[in-house]
Amino acid sequence: MKIVVAILIAAATTLAAPQTTTTDGADASSDHVIQNAELAQQGGGGGRGLRDGSGPHGAGGGKGRGAEATKHDASDSAAHANGEHANGEHANGEHANGEHAEAGHGAGEAPSPFLVIPFVVLLLMIATGPLFYHKFWDRHYPKVAIALGLITAGYYLVALRDDYNMHALMHSVKEYLSFIALLGSLFVASGGIMIKVDKKSTPLLNIAFLAIGSVIANVIGTTGASMLLIRPFIKINKGRIKPFHIVFFIFLVSNIGGALTPIGDPPLFLGFLRGVPFFWTLFHIWYIWIPTILVVLAIFYVFDSQDLKKHEGDDAEQHTGKIEFKGLKNVAFLAIILISVFLDPNVLNWVPSLAPLPFGIRELIMFAVMYFSYTMANEDALRANEFDFEPIKEVAFLFIGIFLTMTPALQLIGQMAKENSDQLNDTLLYWATGSLSAFLDNAPTYLNFLSAAVGRFNLDINLVSDVREFVTKDMFLQAISVAAVYFGAMTYIGNGPNFMVKSISERSGIRMPSFFGYMMKYSIPILLPIFIVVWFVFFK
Amino acid sequence: MATIKEALEQGKSGMYFDNRLMLPFVCDFIKVIADKYMITDFSPHQEGISIVEHKDFTDVYFNDFKRLREVISKYEHVKLLVVEKEDDIFDTSKHAKLAVYLEDRHRAKIETTDQDILFVE
């Protein structure tokens, strides 16, 4: 399996190299590929892009719609030269063909809609495998995910060997590596930290715990916060823990809580990687986040108060009120992960790019943290947390498949959005992103609809500068971000940490509701009405 | 008949081979947790686990696993909620929560779960 992954990365790496050379020295590959300032000036000075139109900007695929260039000023060109694009002027998504396409590289051929089938099959299997054929799924899910991913990648490599499609595939590989580096490092580092709270369980204490967890989710991610806090939360409620305690933990700490920063939730991190400014979510979502959190906490309070009445007098144990903590070293590792999130050439100009490698300094640091935070971790903390790589292994394998198979879906949705751009609005994007985020995974879903919304303005999601231009328009992104994060709580498969929290709870002896039980008993009756109100107040 | 109490007092260990866990006592099982699997059905038609009781020890077969070692990692353990044969199974104060650590040379160390280990009855 490792070999397959290595081959995949190697293939992606080799694919990147020719792209930077076959376009007369210009960058036709990636927004992360560094080209030197000299090249940028060559292009910018002439007032014309260096590269031909067949590059990644060609989101319009094979449909010629004339040439519309989005001009960028000299400072933009310089910024590109530093970290992203070497072109002085670049074409937007509509600009794939026309005169530029004739410069020697045929325009990108749009992938066939049938190429989305592996993506759909994989997502259906993720939803149904653990329920209906769990023995097969438990044993073979890595092979299934990689095989479906390779079908898609193979088609790109064999049948769609043009710059536009190669770039799209390469981008998926890069994003996967960034995604798994962040998730994996947070998972391992937080697994070496043990917090024990010896206090009597009360609804108010639980509310305080969940509220703090929701805030922390924005600092160490929903994955990190979930891993760090689920065990202390279970311990506090040990005498009367019920599935609803865990379900509300999933609602708040594993999902809704993390809506404020890109570190908070994987979809927002993917948006950040694509060019959404780091603090955009904080400044544009806090006034939706606070009332949502308060309402969910209020409902939890009602549930928990009712439950406490039934268990009045059960907890005869003496509580010291102490909070015990083990694993200080891993807190330092968490801090390193958080700092390294910013180490991206698109964020800080001085950060070197490792292009054409499909990862950067940030990912190297995160992978190093993953290794050291495990080997140097406090053994008692690991034992108390029953640390096991299985949950992150599951995410890593499934997401190889998801990231590869979703590539054509991303391209097609971007293209469809351009063709139907008049119909996009907040309501449509909120419900489309939300409903898909609930049943599929919210990270790729967010990207799909971000791609659609960006395409609405004839911009290309594959270009950081285009995404930043889209953000300034202040349209749609709020609805997509809120829906992707919030609706991730609707099912166990909506967000990575949901599964991990369920798994830890079950390993602790709590009988969690089934996939459909979770929806019918909890998420539909509790969350859906709240999400409808959110839509009505903020997006209607 | 070997009891849980005796086995713990004498520091007896169990053994494991592939998917077979041998416990040095005889008891009634209430719940077994291995990896993400929680088993509460110990009837003969249950496919995931089978229990064979001997005079002084008990064999537990995890039929869904090829090898326990592959499923239970270094920092994990098999959790057992059990009760002595002669005790009242309906008296929760008699329930014993045990953690089984899989060590080298097929040794399965058995301890009552300490406070740090999460095990909700």
Side-chain angles (χ1 to χ4, degrees):
Chain A
M1 207 63 79
K2 284 175 190 166
I3 295 169
V4 175
V5 177
I7 290 169
L8 207 60
I9 293 168
T13 311
T14 49
L15 278 170
Q19 287 175 3
T20 57
T21 53
T22 54
T23 52
D24 299 329
D27 167 21
S29 63
S30 157
D31 45 1
H32 293 280
V33 174
I34 278 190
Q35 295 290 317
N36 61 37
E38 193 183 337
L39 282 174
Q41 281 162 7
Q42 283 172 26
R48 181 185 166 98
L50 266 174
R51 39 177 203 201
D52 61 53
S54 61
H57 301 222
K63 303 200 174 199
R65 274 187 262 151
E68 282 178 56
T70 305
K71 278 208 170 188
H72 289 257
D73 60 25
S75 62
D76 195 9
S77 298
H80 287 182
N82 274 331
E84 315 158 16
H85 318 291
N87 56 320
E89 173 190 60
H90 74 238
N92 66 20
E94 302 271 317
H95 202 45
N97 309 307
E99 63 190 73
H100 290 263
E102 290 161 14
H105 299 275
E109 185 191 335
S112 158
F114 289 109
L115 260 190
V116 179
I117 289 172
F119 184 51
V120 175
V121 169
L122 179 57
L123 293 171
L124 283 175
M125 288 186 83
I126 290 171
T128 56
L131 280 179
F132 302 119
Y133 40 96
H134 78 91
K135 280 186 190 172
F136 169 84
W137 185 247
D138 285 352
R139 215 166 274 174
H140 300 296
Y141 75 84
K143 292 170 214 157
V144 170
I146 288 181
L148 289 168
L150 287 178
I151 288 172
T152 307
Y155 190 83
Y156 273 76
L157 292 170
V158 175
L160 298 173
R161 273 196 69 90
D162 57 77
D163 285 344
Y164 164 56
N165 286 302
M166 286 300 103
H167 170 72
L169 182 64
M170 179 67 186
H171 213 97
S172 293
V173 173
K174 279 181 179 177
E175 253 161 18
Y176 170 75
L177 290 172
S178 293
F179 173 82
I180 205 63
L182 179 69
L183 232 67
S185 54
L186 284 172
F187 174 79
V188 177
S190 58
I193 298 170
M194 192 203 80
I195 303 169
K196 200 164 91 184
V197 183
D198 190 13
K199 285 181 185 284
K200 185 177 163 57
S201 159
T202 64
L204 277 180
L205 178 67
N206 283 336
I207 280 185
F209 195 98
L210 292 173
I212 292 168
S214 302
V215 174
I216 290 177
N218 292 292
V219 183
I220 58 172
T222 49
T223 305
S226 298
M227 294 303 99
L228 197 62
L229 299 176
I230 184 60
R231 293 178 183 93
F233 186 66
I234 294 173
K235 272 178 191 141
I236 289 174
N237 294 289
K238 205 169 160 186
R240 61 180 191 92
I241 191 95
K242 296 279 186 319
F244 82 80
H245 287 99
I246 309 299
V247 169
F248 275 87
F249 184 94
I250 292 176
F251 287 174
L252 290 162
V253 183
S254 306
N255 289 277
I256 300 169
L260 295 181
T261 68
I263 300 171
D265 214 30
L268 302 183
F269 185 66
L270 291 186
F272 172 66
L273 291 177
R274 295 278 177 163
V276 177
F278 188 86
F279 290 108
W280 187 92
T281 37
L282 179 64
F283 293 129
H284 290 79
I285 292 179
W286 69 268
Y287 55 89
I288 304 172
W289 183 88
I290 290 176
T292 313
I293 294 282
L294 289 177
V295 170
V296 179
L297 284 175
I299 297 169
F300 173 79
Y301 182 82
V302 174
F303 271 71
D304 206 25
S305 302
Q306 297 285 329
D307 183 69
L308 188 66
K309 277 182 196 162
K310 290 181 202 160
H311 292 84
E312 211 86 63
D314 279 7
D315 188 2
E317 210 178 306
Q318 290 294 315
H319 297 277
T320 59
K322 275 186 189 169
I323 297 175
E324 203 183 315
F325 185 90
K326 281 178 191 168
L328 196 62
K329 268 184 278 184
N330 279 39
V331 175
F333 282 122
L334 277 182
I336 293 171
I337 296 167
L338 301 183
I339 293 166
S340 68
V341 165
F342 296 94
L343 297 179
D344 187 302
N346 297 320
V347 182
L348 300 167
N349 284 342
W350 53 266
V351 175
S353 165
L354 301 184
L357 292 171
F359 51 80
I361 298 284
R362 175 183 52 208
E363 284 73 32
L364 287 180
I365 292 172
M366 287 176 176
F367 284 124
V369 166
M370 209 187 293
Y371 175 78
F372 287 113
S373 64
Y374 178 67
T375 52
M376 294 168 69
N378 181 316
E379 292 253 324
D380 291 339
L382 288 174
R383 190 159 286 119
N385 288 340
E386 296 180 66
F387 185 83
D388 180 21
F389 281 101
E390 184 59 35
I392 196 65
K393 195 183 111 190
E394 188 175 353
V395 170
F397 278 119
L398 291 179
F399 274 76
I400 287 178
I402 287 174
F403 272 77
L404 288 175
T405 56
M406 77 177 179
T407 309
L410 281 174
Q411 289 178 277
L412 289 167
I413 286 183
Q415 195 178 321
M416 276 165 60
K418 284 189 188 110
E419 289 164 4
N420 304 287
S421 57
D422 297 344
Q423 292 165 31
L424 285 183
N425 55 49
D426 276 338
T427 292
L428 180 72
L429 286 169
Y430 179 80
W431 288 109
T433 309
S435 51
L436 285 176
S437 290
F439 292 100
L440 311 180
D441 186 86
N442 63 355
T445 305
Y446 168 94
L447 267 193
N448 274 314
F449 286 96
L450 181 62
S451 173
V454 170
R456 160 80 168 75
F457 299 99
N458 292 331
L459 299 169
D460 185 352
I461 193 175
N462 290 320
L463 290 172
V464 170
S465 53
D466 276 16
V467 173
R468 289 193 181 153
E469 194 179 323
F470 164 73
V471 168
T472 61
K473 298 181 187 303
D474 212 14
M475 284 176 75
F476 305 144
L477 186 55
Q478 198 182 35
I480 297 170
S481 304
V482 168
V485 176
Y486 281 19
F487 281 76
M490 288 296 291
T491 68
Y492 283 135
I493 57 171
N495 197 13
N498 303 4
F499 246 127
M500 295 184 186
V501 169
K502 177 180 180 274
S503 171
I504 289 170
S505 305
E506 285 174 340
R507 285 162 200 241
S508 308
I510 302 163
R511 180 77 73 184
M512 289 297 291
S514 68
F515 180 87
F516 294 110
Y518 175 91
M519 286 173 63
M520 302 313 286
K521 273 190 184 168
Y522 298 102
S523 67
I524 291 177
I526 297 169
L527 285 185
L528 196 57
I530 297 173
F531 295 165
I532 290 171
V533 173
V534 168
W535 161 72
F536 190 80
V537 174
F538 297 103
F539 302 116
K540 192 171 185 295
Chain B
M1 184 185 288
T3 66
I4 302 167
K5 193 180 166 197
E6 282 169 5
L8 290 173
E9 279 176 358
Q10 292 167 19
K12 278 188 182 173
S13 291
M15 296 183 85
Y16 67 95
F17 297 92
D18 294 336
N19 68 342
R20 176 189 183 195
L21 176 64
M22 300 165 71
L23 300 170
F25 50 77
V26 182
C27 63
D28 283 322
F29 287 82
I30 299 167
K31 191 192 278 186
V32 173
I33 300 172
D35 194 50
K36 60 186 173 187
Y37 302 98
M38 186 175 3
I39 303 158
T40 51
D41 179 357
F42 303 102
S43 58
H45 71 262
Q46 161 65 263
E47 289 177 0
I49 196 166
S50 25
I51 291 171
V52 182
E53 211 172 89
H54 302 273
K55 185 175 170 251
D56 284 324
F57 70 97
T58 308
D59 274 326
V60 182
Y61 293 92
F62 294 90
N63 301 323
D64 285 345
F65 309 147
K66 266 189 183 171
R67 288 180 193 84
L68 269 176
R69 206 75 189 89
E70 288 171 0
V71 182
I72 311 295
S73 69
K74 186 180 171 188
Y75 297 110
E76 287 186 302
H77 35 262
V78 178
K79 290 170 185 161
L80 309 173
L81 183 64
V82 289
V83 65
E84 298 277 15
K85 278 280 179 192
E86 67 268 22
D87 283 343
D88 179 3
I89 199 166
F90 301 105
D91 180 354
T92 52
S93 67
K94 302 286 185 192
H95 292 183
K97 291 177 188 175
L98 305 178
V100 181
Y101 299 88
L102 305 183
E103 299 190 330
D104 291 341
R105 300 184 178 199
H106 305 285
R107 184 169 174 258
K109 192 172 85 177
I110 302 163
E111 291 179 350
T112 49
T113 51
D114 74 16
Q115 279 204 324
D116 285 348
I117 292 170
L118 267 182
F119 190 3
V120 178
E121 184 173 348

